Structure formats: C-alpha cells, structure tokens
Amino acid sequence: MLTETHPPRQRIASPTLWALACGISGVAANVLLLLDQLTENVGEARQYFMWLPAAIAWVMVVQFLTLIPVALALHRWLPPTRSVQLATAAAIDAMLAIAILQLLLLSGALEFDVQVVLVMATFLVVSTWVLTVSSTGHRRGTLPRPVTRFGLLLGTSHPVGALIAAAGLLFPSGSAVQLAFVVLRAGRPPSSPRPAAQLRRSGSA
C-alpha cells in the first residue's frame, strides 16, 4: 500500500504554532511599548499605567522562548553549512539569554544599565542569525522567497536602528537633534522599557 505524503506542508506546519506565538507576542510587546511611551508624561494619570514596563518584559520572555523551536526547525530545513550551524547555535543561546535577562531585571537582580547593554548585544546576535538563515534559504531555494525577503529586511533593521541610536548619543540629551534620532530609531527597544526599580513597583512579582 502506497502512502502519499506532502513534505513541504509537513515541514512548514510543525513549528507554525511556535512561530505564531512568537510573532503575536512580539507585536504585543511593541504595542505595549508604544503605549508606555505615550503615557510616560501624563502626570498623575501615569499611575494607571505602571504595569506596562513589567508587562513588556514578561511578553518578551514569551517571545524569545517561543522563537527557539522555530530556530531549531529552520536549522533542520536549511543546508547544514557551517555558517547556518554557528549562527543557529549562537542565536539560540542569545534567545535564552534575553529571556533570562528580562527575568533578572524584573526580579531586581540585575541593574537596568547593565541589562540593556547585554540585551542589545544579544539582539545583534539574533539579527545576524536572521540574516544568515534568510540569505541561505534565499540562495538555496529552501525557503519561500517572500519569507526570505522579509527576513533580510528584518535582519538589517536592528543593526541599522542601533547605529542610528548610537549616533543620537553624540548630541545633548533631550535636544531636538537627539529627539530626531529617537524618532528614526522608532523608540527604545522593547527590552528596556524602564529601570528595574520601576519594574518592581509596577507589580511584576
């Protein structure tokens, strides 16, 4: 008896729920971040939004933990080149590190100034992985072209944004020029909504 299989569908379907969970939580983190930014200077009304920083951090924990199964699935689908293997191993470590850093910030075990630098560094590792798997999948034809094109765009967005943000630091804090760089950067990364002390006050326990 012959059994008909559909390898492409089977390969794509298995990590779909993980990918959806990661994508939805990522969108939620950015929506919460935008709301946090908009309510930062609303006076006494800010007390009603004190839960936002902790919520952003918790959602990011979900986002990057659910990205790990997706990374493992892509590793199986792509050619076993050295660049893919190294990038995937480094990215999985970085995803796990981001989640742990968020939890350490929430608990107050890690200072904000230290945490944000470490998270920005791990973001660069994840971005490098996105670029590597997207370019490999694009060249080898192992991933759909719309996916790889979007991955190439997404992988370059964080390094470019980081450079823009770094350039803004060269200008006086709070100046109009620095504000323009902040707008270009589209705000702070979801990983750094507020210092740890404020996270604790917002009821993260």
Side-chain angles (χ1 to χ4, degrees):
M1 181 178 65
L2 297 177
T3 302
E4 184 178 0
T5 61
H6 302 279
R9 174 179 292 183
Q10 290 175 351
R11 291 190 308 173
I12 294 174
S14 58
T16 298
L17 292 179
W18 293 111
L20 285 173
C22 177
I24 292 172
S25 57
V27 171
N30 282 282
V31 171
L32 291 172
L33 175 64
L34 178 60
L35 182 59
D36 185 50
Q37 299 272 316
L38 293 175
T39 59
E40 186 174 1
N41 299 307
V42 292
E44 294 183 359
R46 175 63 190 178
Q47 62 181 317
Y48 300 106
F49 301 95
M50 293 295 291
W51 56 273
L52 284 169
I56 295 169
W58 280 115
V59 172
M60 285 196 63
V61 171
V62 175
Q63 177 188 0
F64 282 93
L65 288 182
T66 53
L67 185 56
I68 292 176
V70 179
L72 292 172
L74 286 171
H75 180 259
R76 292 193 301 268
W77 300 345
L78 293 170
T81 63
R82 183 172 179 81
S83 60
V84 169
Q85 292 177 341
L86 291 176
T88 301
I92 291 174
D93 289 341
M95 295 167 196
L96 184 59
I98 291 172
I100 293 173
L101 288 169
Q102 298 299 321
L103 295 175
L104 291 175
L105 179 65
L106 284 163
S107 67
L110 189 65
E111 292 295 328
F112 169 77
D113 291 341
V114 177
Q115 187 262 3
V116 69
V117 172
L118 295 175
V119 169
M120 292 295 291
T122 53
F123 275 1
L124 289 173
V125 176
V126 176
S127 297
T128 301
W129 165 74
V130 172
L131 283 172
T132 301
V133 297
S134 299
S135 61
T136 301
H138 192 86
R139 293 194 312 270
R140 303 293 183 92
T142 52
L143 295 175
R145 287 303 176 92
V147 173
T148 58
R149 292 192 186 101
F150 180 75
L152 292 170
L153 177 63
L154 184 65
T156 57
S157 63
H158 178 69
V160 171
L163 289 175
I164 293 174
L169 296 176
L170 300 175
F171 298 91
S173 177
S175 65
V177 177
Q178 188 179 78
L179 179 61
F181 279 95
V182 171
V183 173
L184 288 173
R185 176 62 178 85
R188 289 170 293 193
S191 60
S192 54
R194 289 290 186 276
Q198 186 167 345
L199 285 171
R200 292 196 297 273
R201 290 197 301 270
S202 63
S204 61

